[in-house]
Amino acid sequence: MDKERRKISKMQLDDRKSKILQAIIKTYLETGEPVGSRTISKYADLNLSSATIRNEMADLEELGYIIQPHTSAGRIPTDTGYRLYVDQLMEEKEREVTEMKELMIQKQDKMDLVLKEAAKVLATNTNYATMVSTPQYRRTKLKFIQLSQVDEGQLLAVVVSENNVVKNKMIRIEHLLDNETILKLNILLNTSLNGLTIEQINLATISRLKEQAGIHSEVVNSVLDAVAEAIQTDDEDLEIYTSGATNIFKYPELSDSGRASELISTFEEKHQLANLVTETVENANKNGIQVYIGNETPVQAMKDCSVVTATYDLGEGMQGTIGIIGPKRMDYDKVLSTLKTLMIQLDTIFKKE
């Protein structure tokens, strides 16, 4: 069907017919059996009698969206019916993904500003060096997957995690897949994987998925790679904001040229700070605060310092780290109080969103 005919056909479907067509296609995809009016009448959101549904199904058949394979059987979708369903599904998912991306960009911009300011305020209030990391998503669950054909040799996999982080991955395929196959793969992947964390997608789950996908098991393999990238912690995306590094010159035991230079470099390069963030989140105690004194710190350049870190938790697996670095004779009471206050403030700012 060309674009003009498809457009005219879409205009002929009112909301009720569209919902009935969707119900027929979803049921047929799940069962593989022709679908009758009595089955469709059980859909709670339709609230229609079997007689009304039969009339609507007759109209859908006349329009070419469904056919009756046998005289006494229910209906099954035609290629035209599948096409309309897929077009509507793709439009809906693309709209959802676009809205999610826009929302996350707005939130990210606000979060970056707040965390940068938090590092500055912390350094001013304590007279020590400070760091604040952006929150990373841990133990994140998969929300949904959308496969769509780009061209004969490529599929686009859109993977959305429960915190609405969206990852896109291009998948190379040897042959063009028809719409019904893509639709069935979408249903298989979402039914099998939605709500799982990366740790829960085990070998048994992967083996079962590949078996059900049959000749398309390689597509499933590529999608699983995309899922892993989307819902595992990605340290490359980690941002660490620092402030007050020059405060270390206020303390004689840290201000000789060698030690000071090494500390300043650590704050500028930040890759060692990333290790500190990872260890802090993994080993956080019940109140989320840890104190490293001298050689206890995982950062070599800070072996002559005390480092106090706190894990702030924004829910849904979102966790970040606040750190204060100073001499071993730092004012621990003030530092601990300041960190607890900041954790509460970040919680208030971001959880009310």
Side-chain angles (χ1 to χ4, degrees):
M1 180 181 288
D2 59 33
K3 289 184 179 178
E4 192 60 34
R5 284 183 62 200
R6 191 186 301 168
K7 183 178 178 183
I8 293 170
S9 297
K10 284 177 76 172
M11 289 171 62
Q12 290 173 315
L13 286 194
D14 56 27
D15 187 54
R16 188 160 72 183
K17 283 186 177 65
S18 183
K19 284 184 177 179
I20 290 173
L21 178 60
Q22 285 185 26
I24 291 170
I25 292 175
K26 285 179 181 177
T27 305
Y28 180 64
L29 288 169
E30 289 170 6
T31 66
E33 299 291 334
V35 183
S37 58
R38 184 172 296 178
T39 302
I40 299 303
S41 67
K42 295 175 183 177
Y43 276 72
D45 61 333
L46 288 175
N47 197 25
L48 299 171
S49 67
S50 292
T52 301
I53 291 172
R54 277 195 298 272
N55 290 335
E56 296 287 11
M57 288 173 76
D59 289 344
L60 287 168
E61 188 172 1
E62 188 176 336
L63 289 167
Y65 290 110
I66 56 176
I67 56 173
Q68 191 172 25
H70 309 291
T71 306
S72 59
R75 269 73 164 186
I76 65 173
T78 63
D79 288 352
T80 306
Y82 277 127
R83 166 48 60 192
L84 180 60
Y85 177 76
V86 170
D87 286 349
Q88 290 175 336
L89 186 68
M90 291 301 110
E91 285 174 11
E92 179 186 326
K93 294 302 181 187
E94 283 169 12
R95 188 167 57 250
E96 286 179 12
V97 169
T98 300
E99 289 171 356
M100 286 176 187
K101 281 184 174 178
E102 289 173 353
L103 180 61
M104 290 309 294
I105 287 169
Q106 291 171 9
K107 285 193 170 184
Q108 189 64 48
D109 287 345
K110 179 180 178 181
M111 186 176 290
D112 289 347
L113 289 172
V114 169
L115 296 179
K116 284 178 184 177
E117 188 60 28
K120 289 179 183 177
V121 170
L122 208 55
T124 301
N125 288 350
T126 61
N127 271 321
Y128 302 129
T130 62
M131 53 166 276
V132 181
S133 77
T134 53
Q136 293 295 93
Y137 299 104
R138 299 170 193 275
R139 302 182 302 279
T140 305
K141 295 178 181 178
L142 181 67
K143 190 170 184 179
F144 72 77
I145 300 168
Q146 175 193 326
L147 292 181
S148 54
Q149 190 87 44
V150 176
D151 54 41
E152 189 171 336
Q154 293 185 107
L155 286 177
L156 172 65
V158 179
V159 182
V160 183
S161 55
E162 66 176 346
N163 35 58
N164 291 338
V165 170
V166 181
K167 296 280 178 113
N168 299 325
K169 184 178 179 70
M170 299 301 298
I171 297 173
R172 294 201 170 276
I173 52 175
E174 293 184 6
H175 306 289
L176 182 70
L177 302 181
D178 59 44
N179 295 320
E180 184 177 355
T181 299
I182 292 175
L183 201 57
K184 286 181 176 179
L185 284 171
N186 273 325
I187 291 169
L188 171 64
L189 290 163
N190 283 291
T191 302
S192 304
L193 301 178
N194 283 8
L196 298 184
T197 64
I198 190 66
E199 292 80 12
Q200 291 170 324
I201 302 175
N202 53 33
L203 288 174
T205 303
I206 294 169
S207 177
R208 186 170 63 251
L209 260 175
K210 287 186 174 182
E211 184 180 342
Q212 290 176 300
I215 61 173
H216 305 298
S217 61
E218 283 306 308
V219 175
V220 168
N221 213 37
S222 298
V223 173
L224 288 170
D225 290 341
V227 169
E229 289 174 15
I231 65 176
Q232 69 184 3
T233 301
D234 187 356
D235 288 336
E236 289 183 4
D237 292 337
L238 178 67
E239 287 283 352
I240 300 175
Y241 303 113
T242 60
S243 186
T246 55
N247 282 343
I248 61 175
F249 293 114
K250 297 177 181 178
Y251 307 98
E253 62 268 45
L254 300 177
S255 61
D256 78 58
S257 58
R259 287 182 186 144
S261 176
E262 194 176 2
L263 273 171
I264 295 295
S265 295
T266 300
F267 276 88
E268 288 176 349
E269 295 171 10
K270 297 185 181 178
H271 66 271
Q272 288 191 67
L273 296 182
N275 296 334
L276 179 60
V277 168
T278 301
E279 176 156 327
T280 297
V281 173
E282 288 177 353
N283 301 322
N285 56 26
K286 289 182 180 179
N287 64 9
I289 293 180
Q290 295 179 96
V291 179
Y292 301 95
I293 300 173
N295 288 324
E296 295 173 354
T297 179
V299 179
Q300 180 62 39
M302 297 178 183
K303 296 298 183 182
D304 294 319
C305 304
S306 277
V307 181
V308 184
T309 61
T311 300
Y312 65 92
D313 192 332
L314 305 184
E316 296 184 347
M318 282 180 64
Q319 294 178 319
T321 297
I322 312 162
I324 297 177
I325 301 94
K328 295 177 188 177
R329 58 186 176 93
M330 69 163 52
D331 186 341
Y332 292 100
D333 185 34
K334 181 180 180 180
V335 165
L336 292 173
S337 298
T338 304
L339 280 178
K340 285 182 179 178
T341 300
L342 183 55
M343 288 166 67
I344 293 169
Q345 289 172 339
L346 291 177
D347 180 90
T348 303
I349 290 169
F350 294 123
K351 282 192 177 177
K352 71 181 181 181
E353 291 286 312

